Amino acid sequence: MDSLWDYPDFDGHEFAHFVTDETTGLRAIIAVHSTHLGPGAGGTRFWHYAKTGDAIADVLRLSRGMSYKNAMAGLPLGGGKAVILADAARTKTPGMIAAFGRAVGGLGGRYVTAEDVGVNVADMVEISKQTKFVAGLPVAEGAVGGDPGPHTSYGVFLGVKAAVKRALGRDSLAGLHIALQGAGSVAGGLARRAAQEGARLSITDIDTARAQKLADEVGGAVVAPEAIMTLEADVLSPNALGAILDEQSIAALNVPIVAGGANNQLATPADGDRVQARGILYAPDYVINAGGIINVSTEYVGDGDEAVVRQRIEAIPGRLEQIWAESAATGRNPAEVADGMARKLIGRA
Ligand code: NAD
């Protein structure tokens, strides 16, 4: 790659800030795609990248994704993301995290951080000693903030119901078969709500014990990880990995609906067309999984209580319906429609 501007996901990023701290060994990149709607907000990922170029590509892709996600969730936030380039042993020290916090502070609020892969609440507490531009901190019982997982689950549950209503004309999940990929935080919350409504669940996880535990709790059946993508069901709900929808897997899908919380489910933009060509209704991932960021935003901005968070999450089905309606009217696939709406909101139509 000749320069930063040549990366496919650079897409007019407002800035990318490269950080080095020799004392602690910190190397990080903070990227802000857009501050059109507010400070660039998005988590920090702590990850070992084989090449620096991979870290740059990752932070730019994630940062732009946050712009779209925050805009579509109706939040007063722009989009940004940070990556800390870990060594192969993933050595993380409090000093390194503190240095990262100082770098975030140095941007004067143009970037606000929170947790992502490899970074936890304790790290956010460390960062908060250096800067106020941080969210995802521990909160008192009943206050807004804390673990985003349950909020993401609630939004995904409502999104699945909206998809079922649109594709199958049903108001309830009762009697429907849902295939869950992943049995973690998001899938767990979804499974409990869906089971309560009478859905039949097939669950998989590479951590078999985790899948079994969830299946026992909700009366579901465990299936093998390689079986989930071809299972005959009413809904496939991906809640584990990204890039699971590609040419091969889409051809083998056996469901009328794909709706789940995993980020970046489509391997490439062309896969959005492929899903649509098979007549499968797709819920754009960053729209259906916005519950967590809605909660984090409300904590950070301080513009609402639990009831407001709930209300904001309950707007997710309406947004999905708007996307599906425009998709039906224009023939463009739902992911493409969502990107177009998001770009309009951030002033880049
Ligand atoms: P989690 O770590 O609690 O659960 C993920 C589960 O997926 C783990 O149990 C893991 O073993 C399993 N898994 C990994 N690879 C798998 C595979 N090949 N097949 C089957 N299972 C596999 O994570 P989570 O918080 O539940 O997040 C799930 C997804 O939702 C991720 O893609 C995440 O980025 C996305 N997401 C989460 C939130 C949130 O608030 N937690 C918000 C938005 C998006």
Side-chain angles (χ1 to χ4, degrees):
M1 209 67 67
D2 283 344
S3 79
L4 195 55
W5 283 272
D6 298 326
Y7 278 81
D9 293 312
F10 185 78
D11 185 39
H13 258 73
E14 289 183 16
F15 65 88
H17 188 70
F18 289 71
V19 185
T20 320
D21 183 72
E22 286 192 1
T23 319
T24 60
L26 171 74
R27 288 203 308 149
I29 311 168
I30 300 171
V32 169
H33 178 251
S34 168
T35 57
H36 186 77
L37 296 171
T44 295
R45 180 165 290 192
F46 185 89
W47 194 255
H48 174 64
Y49 295 94
K51 299 194 301 278
T52 309
D54 296 346
I56 298 172
D58 206 28
V59 78
L60 295 174
R61 181 180 60 84
L62 293 164
S63 163
R64 180 172 65 170
M66 288 310 298
S67 272
Y68 289 5
K69 182 170 182 154
N70 292 339
M72 288 300 279
L75 302 173
L77 298 174
K81 200 89 183 185
V83 295
I84 297 178
L85 286 74
D87 61 15
R90 306 208 184 162
T91 317
K92 185 166 73 177
T93 64
M96 192 185 272
I97 296 299
F100 176 73
R102 286 192 293 278
V104 171
L107 295 172
R110 287 190 295 154
Y111 170 67
V112 178
T113 198
E115 294 90 344
D116 192 63
V117 178
V119 173
N120 55 34
V121 176
D123 297 323
M124 289 305 124
V125 171
E126 206 56 47
I127 289 170
S128 73
K129 294 175 189 164
Q130 308 295 331
T131 176
K132 61 179 184 199
F133 305 120
V134 54
L137 296 165
V139 287
E141 188 73 24
V144 173
D147 181 10
H151 301 277
T152 303
S153 292
Y154 181 45
V156 172
F157 168 70
L158 297 176
V160 166
K161 281 175 66 71
V164 159
K165 172 79 182 162
R166 183 167 185 96
L168 309 176
R170 304 265 293 253
D171 288 315
S172 160
L173 301 185
L176 296 183
H177 181 197
I178 302 181
L180 285 173
Q181 185 179 46
S185 168
V186 175
L190 171 63
R192 283 175 209 109
R193 288 178 190 274
Q196 222 166 34
E197 212 172 284
R200 182 161 72 84
L201 301 168
S202 293
I203 302 169
T204 196
D205 198 294
I206 45 169
D207 180 341
T208 319
R210 202 171 193 189
Q212 191 62 57
K213 187 160 177 273
L214 182 60
D216 289 346
E217 188 190 333
V218 300
V222 173
V223 301
E226 59 279 9
I228 202 79
M229 295 295 293
T230 54
L231 204 66
E232 186 178 348
D234 296 296
V235 180
L236 168 67
S237 186
N239 295 288
L241 303 173
I244 48 141
L245 297 169
D246 59 19
E247 189 169 1
Q248 209 183 345
S249 69
I250 292 167
L253 288 173
N254 225 335
V255 287
I257 296 167
V258 177
N263 280 315
N264 304 314
Q265 290 167 37
L266 298 168
T268 68
D271 295 311
D273 287 332
R274 293 192 177 104
V275 173
Q276 173 162 277
R278 288 235 25 226
I280 296 167
L281 185 68
Y282 173 67
D285 43 28
Y286 63 81
V287 180
I288 193 172
N289 73 15
I293 189 72
I294 288 172
N295 186 57
V296 166
S297 166
T298 312
E299 168 200 346
Y300 180 75
V301 179
D303 60 350
D305 56 10
E306 278 288 341
V308 168
V309 170
R310 238 186 126 74
Q311 229 172 46
R312 288 177 179 160
I313 295 174
E314 286 165 2
I316 289 174
R319 233 166 254 132
L320 288 170
E321 279 150 20
Q322 211 186 332
I323 291 165
W324 292 325
E326 191 172 320
S327 168
T330 61
R332 280 153 51 221
N333 77 66
E336 196 186 340
V337 168
D339 286 357
M341 285 181 174
R343 293 190 73 81
K344 211 175 277 176
L345 290 169
I346 63 172
R348 300 205 189 169

